[in-house]
Amino acid sequence: MTSDPPPPGAAPARPGEPVAIVGVAALDPGTLDDVVVDVARFGIPPLQARSMNRMQLLMLETARRCLADAGHPARPLPAERTDVVAGLCFALDRQHANALRVELPGYAREVERAAVAAGADPDSAARAGDELRGLLTRRLGGSPHDRVGEMASTIPARIAAAFTLHGRTLAVESAEATSFVALAHALEQLRAEGSDAVLVLTGQRDESPYAAWALDEKGRGGGGWGSGEGVTPGAGAALRAGRHSGTGQPSGTRQPSEPRQPSGPEAPPAPGPSPDVPPSARPLTQGVGAVLLKRLSDAVRDQDRVYATILDCTLRHDPRPGCFRPSRSAELRQHTAAASLRAAGVEPDTVQYVEYVDSAVTSGVEGTAVLAGLVATGAPNAPVATPDPTGPEAAPGPPHHPPDAVRLGTGDGRAFAHAGLASLLKVALALHRGRYPDQAAAHDAGSDGTATRPPQPGAPWPTGVRAGVPRRAVVQGASLTGTFSHLVLEEHPGPRAGGLRAGDRPGPRGRTRRAWAAAARAVPVAVVGLGGRFAGAVDAAGFWRVVSSGRTRIGPVPDAVLDRDLYHSPGALSLTHSYTDQGGHVPVPDEPPEDLAVLPPRYAALDGAQQLALAVAAELFAPRRALSGRGVVAVGGTLGPTRERRAHAGLVLDGLEETVVGLPALAGLSALGRKRLLERLRERTGRVGGGLPPALLDGCLASGVAALLANEYGLDAVPLAVEAACASSLAALDIAVAALRSGTADYALAGGVELACNVRDMVLCSALGLLSHSRNAPFDAGADGFTPGDGCGLFLLKRYDDARRDGDTVHGVIRAVGASNDAKSLIAPDVAGQVRAMQRAFAQVDFEPCTVDYLEAHGTGTKVGDRVEIAAAARLYAGGPRAEPLRIGSAKSFFGHTFAAAGSAGLLRTLLALRAGTLPPNTLLRTLNPALGLAAIPAEILTEDKPWTRPPGRPRRAAVSSFGTGGINYHVLVEEHREEGSGLR
């Protein structure tokens, strides 16, 4: 541990101040569907409440309980700098319902055609389609706010608005490591004083039978292809339902003011099991919980109740190409734990309790044995008791045994996103109460005699193993994507007479701590690699050619993307149609990059976002470069991948066969006619019997994009998905930069990917009137909304001094990342919130706003959004000795609004402009909106490119803004790198 700033060129030493758990809450997992949440107390209008996913309601209530446990509102929070981080995995109920609602018209049309082919007259077939659409539409519901209500990032944003919290708001996912990833990010921000408090929430519900079945098949497949070998799934292909309610929402899901969904004659019956699928697997374990974290020194100063302290959270990744499966490397488990204990300053033999959270697809027995051997040893490189049959062999030699038994407990990997936090809550409460956790799990002694006695329920937890040593515990986890997690906890004894004793851990105080934190936040980060694919641009060079041409690449999307007969209705607001057919479409590659050995069946099972990201990564890593040390791969995207939503919709639609043949309009069909109808329907929809390939799950994890890149390119880098609405790319960048500055990573891959040109998003965004009726025209007097676009941008990052030491090409230098939340409306932008993000960025640098030459704006092309963004820029960038006007632009006029990838498009455009020494133009701008008030800055919006003159005595500087639904704001400051210089100037 150190409080001194790191020397130039070296990784910053990891800060060691303990982080205090000052508030806890957990909902009863068995009654999640029965929890009634009073939405009125949170100020949520009824129309928005109807569109909210159930997890949003549950996390709102959990947040309220957690903050109340910490004394809020009587004990005020540092609300201005309190972050909200939510951990979730798999699509949410409203996402399923919306996807199914959009898929329904196509299915109903196929029912009509199959009915005609089976002998029904055309009028009866048309009535049957209408009956099916009406029946399911009533069950699924629908609201103009569905696009906002379904999003995972709306959950932390809604919590921020409910409790007026102005820090970061984001959602993360990393399979079973989700909780640990969220906690690690919270620790980094608190220790660097980027935040003063962090509310971490995680939750998991069994939203769809698909996830359980896919996990079951993944476990049986053992990383191979199993019974599903060669199956190439489409939208529900090879999936047959056996346990679901026939709707997009699970039974019992409802708003407090609404009745349960009908279960009488109007409800589609739940189909029985199909003989050609495996039996239902064990469902996911449900749970929702939260912790409120603060620096220990602040918690002591504020006289907070401290349940326990977190000393360290270390994550390591084992990159194994091919189908996702948990790592069985005993060596990596050992090194992860040893590194974590060293970082925490804890001797292994002082740990009294270990909770192991295994992957959802393994038994955990081997992991527990390995863990027991590790905690039993005092030497970081001592051997473990059980060699790993698939990983590196352990060195020979007898293990070292502790003087007393290490008590073991087991967490539940089937809780997925909630698995780690559930164990953390259990252990923290046990430390606080001085009694071991209650649990019934039992373990026999290891084969080597290592003690592995489970605690008796509620058994007293004796004080530390030696005088003056507090109680200590470990929570360790593993994920199916190959990540190991290790969390070190310690009791907080509280104030006592006689001062401090050995083992007490006061945090660094006052100026000493703040000096280190300020130095860490100021560490510059170099962009040493980049790649991108957007409309009309297959790589970064093509991207710049499009920008330089001044011509937009927005146009009609292909018929394969938007079935105009079913979904296009120009000029009309509708819950079922899009009033525009324009977009910045990007074709998804048919094959993986040539230098990767990805088998065709697995590639076909991946989500389109994964396939596109693989292509961009190939550009980024060409030529292949060696990356040493530890890393992180943070990719912004939606936490409800299209692949999973379609798989769920396929399950539900396949289960409607009895409903279809029972439609009144088809009552005249004979038994043979009904049989023929179903045969034709299966042929037309491509749904046939077959097993689930283990790889299908890989395409349904949001973090699967990051894990795919880490594994296929052999990166010792923890993968995670980040969702912060349209600011997701810069939120991912923020996580990457924080990891580099803290020293937990030596390199990082960050960016964003989304295929926004899809019928689901076009219909949902049209319902709220968000899309332009023509094409994206930021800052134009006639701007009337945005146009969706597909895209992916990725960036390879290192600390600046490390990049110079390694001789890397530096495309630009990230000097600061500022973040905030409006804590107001989820949709309407806010000047004050955007200014907060800008101010927080400039607090990290030694230059003034008037020295920034170019602002790559979010620039959505909505009248209100553009006006608010320029007003916010005027607050910060106006004034000062500005030799040239601030130039402002937006990539969206060329490529459309790429949602989660929008920030990566803006950053890519800015870096390429810095490299070219050219101020980029805007397009589609016909008449500048006079309400923008550019003269107050002063600023101008270019319609032609212009040389970017380097100001005397300093480098070119730029800023990139990205704002997301939910009041999420990010602002990045970028500087050019001058090769002739000896460093930053």
Side-chain angles (χ1 to χ4, degrees):
M1 285 181 273
T2 179
S3 58
D4 296 325
R14 297 177 64 182
E17 179 174 6
V19 169
I21 302 172
V22 300
V24 299
L27 300 183
D28 182 352
T31 62
L32 291 187
D33 286 341
D34 297 320
V35 174
V36 177
V37 180
D38 182 6
V39 295
R41 78 186 301 169
F42 298 112
I44 301 171
L47 184 62
Q48 291 186 24
R50 287 198 295 272
S51 72
M52 292 170 63
N53 59 72
R54 177 67 176 167
M55 184 61 77
Q56 189 175 148
L57 291 169
L58 296 175
M59 283 197 168
L60 264 172
E61 176 61 19
T62 306
R64 184 193 67 79
R65 296 184 187 187
C66 183
L67 295 178
D69 183 67
H72 182 77
R75 294 173 60 82
L77 279 170
E80 192 66 19
R81 287 162 47 85
T82 295
D83 297 348
V84 184
V85 182
L88 303 122
C89 192
F90 299 119
L92 303 167
D93 55 1
R94 194 65 241 168
Q95 293 173 330
H96 286 315
N98 292 340
L100 183 57
R101 194 179 80 220
V102 173
E103 294 270 356
L104 179 59
Y107 184 77
R109 182 174 64 182
E110 297 307 327
V111 167
E112 295 176 23
R113 293 172 175 174
V116 171
D121 64 86
D123 289 343
S124 297
R127 287 199 307 274
D130 290 340
E131 289 171 355
L132 183 63
R133 281 188 291 267
L135 188 151
L136 287 184
T137 298
R138 289 193 295 273
R139 286 296 305 261
L140 295 170
S143 162
H145 290 272
D146 279 346
R147 181 63 178 91
V148 176
E150 74 166 16
M151 295 165 60
S153 57
T154 301
I155 297 175
R158 180 79 72 179
I159 292 169
F163 300 101
T164 320
L165 308 177
H166 291 292
R168 292 170 179 78
T169 49
L170 64 154
V172 298
E173 189 259 283
S174 186
E176 300 97 321
T178 298
S179 295
F180 298 100
V181 163
L183 291 165
H185 178 60
L187 264 61
E188 285 173 348
Q189 292 297 344
L190 288 168
R191 287 171 166 169
E193 294 198 346
S195 308
D196 290 332
V198 182
L199 178 63
V200 177
L201 306 102
T202 62
Q204 190 66 61
R205 294 183 73 228
D206 193 26
E207 307 276 18
S208 167
Y210 164 76
W213 288 341
L215 277 169
D216 183 56
E217 191 62 40
K218 171 76 75 172
R220 285 208 303 266
W225 287 96
S227 62
E229 183 169 6
V231 177
T232 302
L239 301 177
R240 298 295 304 280
R243 181 183 59 83
H244 60 78
S245 63
T247 75
Q249 295 190 5
S251 176
T253 298
R254 67 191 190 280
Q255 307 296 341
S257 59
E258 295 178 343
R260 291 184 183 271
Q261 298 287 0
S263 58
E266 291 190 354
S274 177
D276 57 354
V277 298
S280 283
R282 183 163 55 96
L284 295 177
T285 302
Q286 302 194 120
V288 181
V291 291
L292 181 64
L293 307 176
K294 294 172 70 174
R295 290 179 290 273
L296 178 58
S297 56
D298 291 348
V300 171
R301 178 201 64 201
D302 299 338
Q303 298 184 332
D304 293 318
R305 172 183 53 198
V306 177
Y307 286 99
T309 58
I310 302 175
L311 305 185
D312 180 74
C313 184
T314 291
L315 299 98
R316 290 292 302 275
H317 187 71
D318 184 9
R320 307 182 74 184
C323 193
F324 294 158
R325 69 274 198 199
S327 170
R328 300 177 66 190
S329 170
E331 183 180 39
L332 187 58
R333 276 189 176 96
Q334 180 183 14
H335 286 309
T336 303
S340 181
L341 294 172
R342 284 198 304 271
V346 166
E347 293 295 328
D349 64 355
T350 65
V351 175
Q352 298 167 282
Y353 177 78
V354 175
E355 175 105 339
Y356 188 81
V357 187
D358 208 344
S359 168
V361 297
T362 58
S363 66
V365 174
E366 179 183 295
T368 302
V370 169
L371 182 61
L374 172 62
V375 174
T377 180
N381 295 314
V384 291
T386 307
D388 179 2
T390 63
E393 293 186 4
H400 173 73
H401 297 285
D404 298 305
V406 176
R407 293 178 176 261
L408 295 179
T410 56
D412 187 356
R414 300 289 290 199
F416 246 82
H418 187 51
L421 190 67
S423 290
L424 170 68
L425 286 166
K426 179 168 63 174
V427 176
L429 289 170
L431 284 167
H432 183 63
R433 295 165 180 161
R435 304 187 74 85
Y436 281 114
D438 297 349
Q439 54 188 348
H443 301 276
D444 297 326
S447 59
D448 66 331
T450 303
T452 59
R453 292 188 294 107
Q456 298 300 314
W461 188 329
T463 54
V465 297
R466 292 189 290 275
V469 176
R471 299 178 180 93
R472 289 172 178 156
V474 160
V475 178
Q476 195 177 69
S479 82
L480 68 86
T481 51
T483 298
F484 290 122
S485 313
H486 195 276
L487 191 71
V488 183
L489 297 168
E490 185 175 274
E491 72 171 326
H492 177 66
R496 65 174 62 82
L500 300 175
R501 65 181 181 181
D504 284 346
R505 301 174 157 271
R509 300 183 190 177
R511 292 167 53 187
T512 302
R513 185 189 73 202
R514 290 190 180 93
W516 191 97
R521 290 202 310 276
V523 171
V525 171
V527 179
V528 298
L530 50 79
R533 185 171 292 199
F534 294 85
V538 297
D539 54 20
F543 182 98
W544 186 245
R545 284 194 297 272
V546 170
V547 170
S548 300
S549 74
R551 294 171 44 237
T552 184
R553 292 303 186 267
I554 296 172
V557 299
D559 291 338
V561 173
L562 181 69
D563 187 325
R564 287 165 172 78
D565 290 339
L566 284 179
Y567 298 111
H568 186 215
S569 180
L573 284 177
S574 165
L575 296 181
T576 56
H577 292 75
S578 171
Y579 53 74
T580 182
D581 65 350
Q582 300 290 300
H585 173 65
V586 175
V588 174
D590 294 328
E591 298 178 348
E594 293 181 358
D595 60 338
L596 294 181
V598 180
L599 296 177
R602 181 167 186 252
Y603 187 75
L606 297 176
D607 187 77
Q610 290 173 294
Q611 295 168 337
L612 185 61
L614 270 182
V616 175
E619 176 191 0
L620 182 82
F621 287 114
R624 294 289 287 267
R625 66 188 75 197
L627 294 171
S628 59
R630 297 162 53 190
V632 62
V633 180
V635 180
T638 174
L639 296 196
T642 295
R643 173 63 76 193
E644 186 195 353
R645 298 193 205 194
R646 287 181 174 171
H648 172 85
L651 285 171
V652 176
L653 294 176
D654 282 354
L656 292 176
E657 290 186 350
E658 292 184 17
T659 301
V660 168
V661 298
L663 292 170
L666 300 179
L669 278 180
S670 65
L672 181 59
R674 292 189 179 94
K675 180 180 178 182
R676 288 176 178 171
L677 185 154
L678 294 181
E679 289 173 351
R680 299 293 187 275
L681 185 60
R682 291 167 190 164
E683 291 172 2
R684 298 192 67 88
T685 57
R687 295 180 172 93
V688 295
L692 298 178
L696 188 56
L697 184 68
D698 297 4
C700 298
L701 290 170
S703 62
V705 177
L708 185 69
L709 301 182
N711 291 354
E712 296 302 326
Y713 283 96
L715 307 179
D716 179 7
V718 176
L720 70 149
V722 185
E723 185 183 313
C726 302
S728 296
S729 290
L730 297 194
L733 186 79
D734 188 33
I735 288 177
V737 168
L740 288 166
R741 287 174 165 175
S742 71
T744 58
D746 300 301
Y747 62 88
L749 186 62
V753 58
E754 186 151 1
L755 301 175
C757 292
N758 66 78
V759 64
R760 182 192 68 247
D761 282 332
M762 293 180 75
V763 167
L764 294 179
C765 289
S766 286
L768 198 54
L770 299 175
L771 301 184
S772 171
H773 289 264
S774 54
R775 292 185 292 184
N776 240 105
F779 315 118
D780 194 273
D784 63 348
F786 60 80
T787 303
D790 301 330
C792 176
L794 297 174
F795 308 92
L796 184 60
L797 312 173
K798 286 185 178 181
R799 287 178 291 272
Y800 180 71
D801 287 343
D802 291 352
R804 287 180 59 79
R805 176 201 65 202
D806 298 338
D808 293 312
T809 298
V810 177
H811 300 279
V813 184
I814 296 169
R815 296 297 308 275
V817 183
S820 73
N821 191 278
D822 298 343
K824 287 187 178 180
S825 167
L826 292 186
I827 300 174
D830 177 63
V831 171
Q834 294 180 15
V835 170
R836 278 190 192 92
M838 296 175 187
Q839 290 173 333
R840 290 170 183 173
F842 277 100
Q844 302 168 35
V845 297
D846 56 359
F847 54 83
E848 297 298 320
C850 63
T851 66
V852 171
D853 311 309
Y854 175 72
L855 170 61
E856 175 68 24
H858 190 55
T860 55
T862 64
K863 281 188 171 61
V864 173
D866 290 352
R867 188 173 66 248
V868 167
E869 182 169 8
I870 298 302
R875 290 265 191 99
L876 203 76
Y877 287 97
R882 182 177 290 282
E884 296 279 344
L886 175 68
R887 273 62 184 227
I888 300 176
S890 171
K892 293 179 180 61
S893 59
F894 290 92
F895 306 104
H897 190 348
T898 52
F899 293 9
S904 67
L907 181 59
L908 181 61
R909 189 165 111 122
T910 302
L911 290 169
L912 294 174
L914 283 169
R915 189 169 70 182
T918 301
L919 291 161
N922 296 274
T923 188
L924 300 179
L925 181 60
R926 302 293 177 261
T927 303
L928 186 66
N929 185 349
L932 296 179
L934 296 174
I937 298 178
E940 66 175 319
I941 297 172
L942 300 176
T943 55
E944 295 181 353
D945 57 12
K946 182 177 181 179
W948 190 340
T949 304
R950 180 179 293 131
R954 68 167 177 85
R956 301 179 180 97
R957 291 185 180 129
V960 181
S961 286
S962 200
F963 310 129
T965 302
I968 301 172
N969 308 303
Y970 279 85
H971 195 67
V972 177
L973 299 178
V974 185
E975 208 168 66
E976 73 169 328
H977 165 68
R978 291 190 285 173
E979 294 292 347
E980 69 272 16
S982 57
L984 293 174
R985 293 185 182 181

